[in-house]
């Protein structure tokens, strides 16, 4: 048994969306429920078909809300899965775990979901601190990524001159996506340069915006997916990289490097075979570090690689075609993964890769998912059937 | 006026560290078995798993490993200091320690800049290590 034996054996067969952005009055749980129900319907399945449920982490309940647990969600969905899982702190392995359950025969259809009412609850805007960082006024995950970004500037000659290419490029994609929170809000280089510093070197345009909403997908065997409603997005490869080091030790490579290598090997393809990327982008610099560690460019080569609209509509390597977590909505790794699947299913409307956006017809899309401070990363490669 | 910023949360692991700080000594654990000097403090050495550390006193000298200029803050007690600099300082003995840079304007802080510890007595119980340019 080898990871390569799982190549092309499983697929994403359904995707669940919800209203998103700022949707006042709703609980996180309500978005979980709606995203799951919509994914089940989208796949053409019934609730009884769902025998595995995986929740990305949930953040602590606010406003007297229920804590979102897998069993509470199962109750509201009227399902009794064979097995349940919910991680606590953003380790990334949800898709691989789903595939393992399927491979073992424990499950036939696994539902993976993330949701929150982060925009209206302010849940993610609190200054969670690591150890005694608060003593020194260094609060929250943004501060930690900003620290890594500054180190990357020193080590790799990157910085705001590179990150604005990511911001402007992704915003162009968001402007082709009517459900993106930044739809109809164009961004120029000048806008980026003039945006306020927050945790410098980060500016406001480098940061994702906490969202109300949810996203879910159904993972099943390719064999079963053939009989379902959508053309499946086939999982060619997936890999993990968890360089579990002290959080203060931010010398790269990130987990993207190892996870990318494993996923490409499993898929038996090379980086040159990738038509587009959906990269986990809590911050612009995360896209930069991740693409570098995949090997799209070397240290010091970032600006040359990005400039001229490489990642934009019409570009030779489209990146984050929904607008990404930065400008579409924030769903952890399910943002990149579901966008890749939707593109490969040909369901993306104005932002559809191919002739409509003057880009390559997408056959193979690479997705990343990153947690901690680059300490846990999953890479997944999907292909069109 | 009462000190309103967050205070250190003393644990069994960090108690010797904060006791040292009270005496203006920057203390780290040094593994008795393999010699690795570590931070954060922990029950075992992450290199060799020995649970026998000595606490050594650092020279307090190091260089800026990375830094963030905070232009906003999640705690009102820091507001009057904005913009301020939080930095990771790589000490001569090896550990990388999160602290503040003082006595410099934010735009003057650079990676690899030599710095040394300077102590701030914040309450009866606590002194905290900050870093200033090496004199």
């Amino acid at each position: 048994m080898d990871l390569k034996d799982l190549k092309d054996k499983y697929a994403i067969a359904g995707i669940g969306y919800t209203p998103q952005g700022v949707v006042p009055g709703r609980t996180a749980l309500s978005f979980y429920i709606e995203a799951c129900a919509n994914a089940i319907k989208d796949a053409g399945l019934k609730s009884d078909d769902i025998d595995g449920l995986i929740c990305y982490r949930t953040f602590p309940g606010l406003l007297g809300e229920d804590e979102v647990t897998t069993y509470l969600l199962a109750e509201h969905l009227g399902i009794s899965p064979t097995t349940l899982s919910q991680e606590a702190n953003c380790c990334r392995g949800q898709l691989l775990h789903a595939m393992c359950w399927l491979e073992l025969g424990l499950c036939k259809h696994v539902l993976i979901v993330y949701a929150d009412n982060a925009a209206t609850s302010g849940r993610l805007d609190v200054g969670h601190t690591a150890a005694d960082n608060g003593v020194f006024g260094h609060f929250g995950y943004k501060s930690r990524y900003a620290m890594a970004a500054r180190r990357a500037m020193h080590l790799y000659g990157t910085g705001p001159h590179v990150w604005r290419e990511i911001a402007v490029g992704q915003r162009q994609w968001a402007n082709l996506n009517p459900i993106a929170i930044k739809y109809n809000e164009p961004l120029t280089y000048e806008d980026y340069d003039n945006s306020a510093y927050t945790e410098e070197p980060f500016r406001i345009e480098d940061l994702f915006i906490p969202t109300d909403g949810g996203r879910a997908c159904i993972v099943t065997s390719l064999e079963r997916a053939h009989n379902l409603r959508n053309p499946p997005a086939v999982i060619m490869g997936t890999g993990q990289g968890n360089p579990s080091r002290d959080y203060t030790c931010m010398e790269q490579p990130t987990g993207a490097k190892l996870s990318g290598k494993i996923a490409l090997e499993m898929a038996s393809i090379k980086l040159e075979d990738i038509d587009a990327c959906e990269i986990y982008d809590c911050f612009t610099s995360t896209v930069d570090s991740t693409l570098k560690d995949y090997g799209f460019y070397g240290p010091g080569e970032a600006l040359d690689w990005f400039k001229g609209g490489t990642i934009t509509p019409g570009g030779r390597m489209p990146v984050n075609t929904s607008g990404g977590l930065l400008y579409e909505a924030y769903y952890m790794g399910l943002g990149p993964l579901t966008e890749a699947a939707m593109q490969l299913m040909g369901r993306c409307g104005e932002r559809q890769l191919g002739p409509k956006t003057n880009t390559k017809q997408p056959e193979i899309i690479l997705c990343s998912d990153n947690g901690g401070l680059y300490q846990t990363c999953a890479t997944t490669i999907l292909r069109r059937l | 006026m009462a000190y309103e910023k967050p205070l250190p949360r003393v644990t069994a692991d960090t108690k010797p560290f904060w006791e040292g700080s009270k005496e203006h000594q920057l203390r780290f654990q040094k593994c008795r078995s393999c010699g690795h000097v570590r931070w954060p403090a922990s029950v075992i050495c992450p290199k060799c798993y020995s649970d026998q550390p000595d606490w050594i006193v650092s020279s307090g000298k190091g260089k800026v490993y990375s830094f963030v200029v905070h232009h906003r803050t999640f705690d009102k007690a820091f507001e009057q200091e904005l913009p301020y600099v939080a930095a990771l300082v790589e000490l001569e003995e090896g550990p990388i320690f999160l602290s503040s840079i003082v006595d410099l304007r934010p735009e003057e802080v650079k990676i690899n800049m030599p710095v040394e510890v300077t102590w701030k007595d914040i309450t009866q119980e606590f002194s905290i290590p900050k870093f200033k340019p090496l004199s």
Side-chain angles (χ1 to χ4, degrees), chain A residues 64-75:
Chain A
E65 290 179 344
D66 287 317
E67 293 281 344
V68 178
T69 60
T70 49
Y71 38 87
L72 180 65
L73 182 55
E75 175 191 326

Side-chain angles (χ1 to χ4, degrees), chain A residues 131-288:
Chain A
D132 285 323
N133 288 6
V135 173
F136 303 100
H138 195 59
F139 298 99
Y141 50 88
K142 292 166 189 157
S143 300
R144 297 173 64 205
Y145 272 84
M147 193 71 90
R150 175 80 70 177
R151 184 72 184 166
M153 287 166 66
H154 172 75
L155 290 176
Y156 305 115
T158 189
H161 63 295
V162 171
W163 305 334
R164 72 179 196 161
E165 299 285 342
I166 296 162
V168 169
Q170 287 193 208
R171 189 65 71 86
Q172 288 183 31
W173 285 111
N175 275 288
L176 296 176
N177 183 3
I179 65 167
I181 55 177
K182 289 290 186 180
Y183 183 65
N184 267 340
E185 290 186 41
L187 182 78
T188 65
Y189 290 122
E190 292 70 31
D191 294 335
Y192 176 91
D193 294 343
N194 292 329
S195 71
Y197 279 123
T198 54
E199 291 76 25
E200 187 186 346
F202 285 164
R203 293 172 163 86
I204 197 80
E205 294 294 350
D206 291 307
L207 318 177
F208 84 93
I209 300 164
T211 322
D212 297 334
R215 190 66 55 84
C217 71
I218 304 279
V219 189
T220 187
S221 67
L222 181 57
E223 198 181 341
R224 288 193 185 88
H226 280 307
N227 301 317
L228 297 178
R229 241 187 82 212
N230 299 304
V234 185
I235 301 165
M236 295 182 80
T238 192
Q240 310 264 303
N242 304 303
S244 304
R245 296 169 297 197
D246 168 21
Y247 75 96
T248 59
C249 178
M250 48 194 63
E251 295 290 341
Q252 295 172 8
T254 67
K257 185 165 186 172
L258 178 60
S259 67
K261 180 171 179 287
I262 293 168
L264 286 164
E265 281 176 7
M266 177 177 163
S268 304
I269 61 164
K270 294 189 162 45
L271 217 49
E272 297 77 57
D273 300 316
I274 305 288
D275 297 317
C277 294
E278 308 293 347
I279 303 295
Y280 181 90
D281 55 328
C282 49
F283 306 107
T284 52
S285 66
T286 317
V287 178
D288 176 21

Side-chain angles (χ1 to χ4, degrees), chain A residues 314-335:
Chain A
R316 65 184 159 81
M317 183 54 72
V319 172
N320 293 349
T321 53
S322 68
L325 304 173
L326 282 171
Y327 304 137
E328 189 225 335
Y330 183 77
Y331 300 118
M332 300 208 171
L334 287 178

